[in-house]
Amino acid sequence: MERPAWAPRSIDISVPSVSRIYDYYLGGSHNFEVDRDAARRAMEFMPGLPKIMQANRAFMRRAVRLAVDEGITQFLDIGSGIPTFGNVHEVAQTASPGARVVYVDHDPVAVAHSHAVLAGNEDAGVVAADLRKPQEILTSPEVQRLIDLNRPVALLLVAILHFVEDVDDPYGAVAELREALPPGSLLVLTHASYEGIPLPPERAGGAVDVYKDIRNPLIMRSRDEIARFFEGYDMVEPGLVPMPHWRPDTAPEDEDPWAFSGFAGVGRTA
């Protein structure tokens, strides 16, 4: 397999990556055949996976616009993945020139491509770090340079927590990040769930097994379990809902049924 110029030498291009699989679902070009193969195997069980990812992105953009409308101009996007059109810095800086954005990911391809996309953008940066180690993120030079933790921040955890197993204490990591945020900050979150998927859970479980096979377990949590991530936050209307129901730009009934898989919500620190 020939290594493309954009792929860091340090990565094993024979091993699938969830961020590159996500890139494939969104129609991106920064993925390898091993990623595409895993994505196609998962889609044999859940053919609507690309629609779910598109709904994730659409929700994220609406939430970023809400944050800007509330006067928030700082964004910390953890598990940001590979930049695609309409990413956080594009939405935020279009709505509020000078808005500051830090992307965080542990996939070297996502980090390298983010650096390339952000070249010359002094108001955006990238951190190679893991959600499971909040202090490494908060004390990183880019966060220190761009994010003033004395002013409200929008913390984005979009389609990332379902890749953190309970043994790694995702609730503890989210709570630790919350403790670092000043009043008026927002938590923007989406999470996979069997609830809302338009097929039986045992069928959807086949796609979950694909992620388990590539050693990136996909943890399908219930709505109540997802709601626990918002402890310490006041929920922004309409609460924790399927993605198309969160402050939609278009009529939810026009959405693909797959878009209603999982949940999205925004919480505000008091």
Side-chain angles (χ1 to χ4, degrees):
M1 184 188 306
E2 184 176 349
R3 181 183 297 270
W6 50 262
R9 301 298 304 178
S10 60
I11 68 165
D12 183 348
I13 61 176
S14 68
V15 177
S17 151
V18 292
S19 65
R20 299 194 306 266
I21 292 171
Y22 191 80
D23 178 67
Y24 173 73
Y25 289 143
L26 291 173
S29 58
H30 287 76
N31 50 76
F32 306 120
E33 182 54 35
V34 67
D35 306 308
R36 296 187 286 273
D37 176 67
R40 289 190 290 262
R41 284 192 287 126
M43 288 170 63
E44 289 176 9
F45 300 96
M46 291 177 61
L49 280 166
K51 291 293 183 182
I52 298 172
M53 306 314 165
Q54 291 163 20
N56 260 284
R57 301 290 292 187
F59 159 76
M60 178 272 289
R61 290 190 286 268
R62 297 196 300 274
V64 168
R65 290 196 295 268
L66 168 76
V68 173
D69 288 346
E70 293 200 356
I72 295 176
T73 58
Q74 304 185 106
F75 298 82
L76 180 58
D77 185 359
I78 302 178
S80 52
I82 296 168
T84 56
F85 177 75
N87 218 16
V88 174
H89 73 281
E90 294 173 328
V91 177
Q93 292 176 350
T94 296
S96 178
R100 296 186 160 195
V101 179
V102 176
Y103 292 118
V104 180
D105 208 285
H106 65 79
D107 184 306
V109 170
V111 172
H113 194 51
S114 296
H115 278 300
V117 167
L118 297 175
N121 188 333
E122 292 300 315
D123 293 318
V126 188
V127 175
D130 193 311
L131 169 62
R132 294 170 293 187
K133 298 177 180 179
Q135 288 307 312
E136 288 188 8
I137 296 170
L138 295 169
T139 60
S140 66
E142 284 297 83
V143 168
Q144 298 283 309
R145 179 176 75 89
L146 289 167
I147 304 294
D148 178 0
L149 290 173
N150 295 306
R151 297 190 298 112
V153 177
L155 169 64
L156 286 86
L157 300 175
V158 176
I160 181 62
L161 284 164
H162 47 235
F163 291 115
V164 183
E165 298 179 86
D166 287 342
V167 70
D168 291 318
D169 192 17
Y171 296 103
V174 173
E176 194 170 340
L177 289 164
R178 183 194 67 231
E179 291 301 314
L181 300 179
S185 296
L186 297 179
L187 170 62
V188 177
L189 183 152
T190 67
H191 198 296
S193 176
Y194 284 121
E195 298 175 41
I197 294 178
L199 47 73
E202 56 271 19
R203 177 70 179 171
V208 173
D209 288 341
V210 171
Y211 281 92
K212 187 184 299 182
D213 289 344
I214 65 171
R215 300 182 181 179
N216 284 283
L218 178 59
I219 313 302
M220 304 290 268
R221 295 188 171 96
S222 69
R223 185 185 182 281
D224 287 346
E225 289 171 325
I226 297 166
R228 282 184 54 202
F229 288 114
F230 287 98
E231 289 181 0
Y233 289 90
D234 296 325
M235 294 302 295
V236 173
E237 287 295 330
L240 185 62
V241 295
M243 292 173 286
H245 286 305
W246 197 90
R247 303 196 177 199
D249 293 327
T250 57
E253 55 267 25
D254 294 336
E255 290 283 352
D256 187 285
W258 283 96
F260 296 86
S261 305
F263 293 95
V266 176
R268 183 185 293 107
T269 54

